[in-house]
Amino acid sequence: MIAHPQDKTKNGVIMEFKTASSEAELERQAQLALAQIEEKNYLADFKEQGIKIVQRYGIAFWGKHVKLIRS
């Protein structure tokens, strides 16, 4: 999910979601979600629009358990 602010002085948000196969996998999948944001260069569009601050979140789910990592 990508959220571009209308006011370019405000923060943008990128959230990448993954599912884990077990509770032990939550951390790894959340890290992989953050890595995907970088690998696929999701920040490029924000830079083109002059948005300087972008919050990035890697989020992994396993059942009702969630792991969120912010970069």
Side-chain angles (χ1 to χ4, degrees), residues 2 14 16 18 32-45:
I2 295 176
I14 300 173
E16 181 63 33
K18 299 283 185 192
L32 287 172
L34 276 181
Q36 181 175 329
I37 292 169
E38 301 302 322
E39 289 167 8
K40 299 214 176 202
N41 199 21
Y42 294 160
L43 292 170
D45 194 38

Side-chain angles (χ1 to χ4, degrees), residues 1 12 16-17 22-23 30-31 33-36 41 46 48 54 58 60-61:
M1 187 206 87
E16 181 63 33
F17 300 92
S22 67
E23 187 172 8
Q31 290 289 353
L34 276 181
Q36 181 175 329
N41 199 21
F46 289 95
E48 288 175 14
V54 180
F61 294 92

